[in-house]
Amino acid sequence: RSFEKANVCNPLQVVTDGEQALCYLQGEGEYGDRRRFPMPAVVFLDLNMPKKNGFDVLTGARQNPALRGTMIYVLSASTRLIDISRAYELGANAYLIKPSRLSTLPEMMKGSCAFAAHVAGAE
């Protein structure tokens, strides 16, 4: 919903847990059809997910050579320095703290997508 409110028109794929996230990123199972499930330019990754947490997904993604260049933004409510440090150590490109007012989340998403597009265009 935040992406819609921010008028981000890029295709958006959503998974509901960490296992699905890894399967999607690695193209396993139903996610092997890259026409239906294209590789993302940017991944917004929550730390608190069922089955596998965001750290597990980040570790798995960064161990896959094909995903090393994929931009992964951790999006979390956690402000704990240990979580932020660990995310960067595991290869996160950015750590975004969810705003306390959800009404400001669309602007955060819009800015993050604009930055990612700028970086992708510079490569």
Side-chain angles (χ1 to χ4, degrees), residues 44 73-78 88 94-99 108-109 112:
F44 288 94
Y73 294 169
V74 171
L75 180 62
S76 178
S78 174
Y88 282 117
Y95 189 100
L96 306 172
I97 298 171
K98 291 178 187 176
M108 177 188 268
M109 296 296 92
S112 298

Side-chain angles (χ1 to χ4, degrees), residues 85-105:
S85 296
R86 184 168 180 211
Y88 282 117
E89 287 168 8
L90 293 174
N93 294 96
Y95 189 100
L96 306 172
I97 298 171
K98 291 178 187 176
S100 57
R101 290 187 6 236
L102 285 180
S103 61
T104 62
L105 188 59

Side-chain angles (χ1 to χ4, degrees), residues 17-19 21-23 25-26 42-49 52-65 67-76 82-96:
D17 63 54
E19 281 184 3
L22 275 174
C23 287
L25 291 172
Q26 295 173 348
V42 179
V43 174
F44 288 94
L45 181 63
D46 196 351
L47 292 182
N48 296 314
M49 296 183 292
K52 290 191 180 282
N53 66 36
F55 295 124
D56 295 332
V57 174
L58 188 54
T59 298
R62 292 305 187 220
Q63 288 174 347
N64 183 334
L67 298 171
R68 288 201 180 125
T70 302
M71 294 189 73
I72 300 177
Y73 294 169
V74 171
L75 180 62
S76 178
I82 193 166
D83 289 339
I84 297 168
S85 296
R86 184 168 180 211
Y88 282 117
E89 287 168 8
L90 293 174
N93 294 96
Y95 189 100
L96 306 172

